């Protein structure tokens, strides 16, 4: 599963990977970004329907959590 963090939108061209809409003005819009694979989506409804599998291998993720 994704491990999301709430982040400010760094680029006006960045788009939600669920609905494909832009996040908003640079520095004002916020979105969720997976700490492991970089998947991005809106914090509201889109987060609830985001892909459940993270782009990083569960085995690799387990290895990185050891350190």
């Amino acid at each position: 599963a994704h491990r999301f963090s709430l982040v400010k939108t760094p680029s006006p061209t960045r788009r939600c990977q669920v609905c494909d809409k832009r996040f908003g003005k640079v520095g004002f819009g916020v979105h969720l970004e997976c700490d492991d694979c970089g998947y991005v989506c809106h914090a509201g409804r889109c987060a609830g329907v985001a892909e459940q599998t993270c782009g990083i291998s569960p085995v690799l993720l387990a290895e990185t959590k050891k350190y």
Side-chain angles (χ1 to χ4, degrees):
H2 293 288
R3 294 184 315 129
F4 285 118
S5 293
L6 190 63
V7 294
K8 285 188 177 180
T9 301
S11 167
T13 59
R14 197 123 193 230
R15 293 180 176 270
C16 175
Q17 290 181 250
V18 174
C19 71
D20 198 40
K21 292 182 181 174
R22 292 186 181 143
F23 291 112
K25 295 180 180 179
V26 175
F28 293 99
V30 292
H31 65 275
L32 296 175
E33 183 170 343
C34 179
D35 297 331
D36 299 315
C37 72
Y39 186 92
V40 292
C41 66
H42 288 102
R45 182 180 49 151
C46 293
V49 296
E51 295 177 14
Q52 294 299 308
T53 55
C54 187
I56 189 169
S57 157
V59 174
L60 180 59
L61 181 58
E63 286 296 315
T64 60
K65 287 183 178 180
K66 288 181 182 179
Y67 303 101

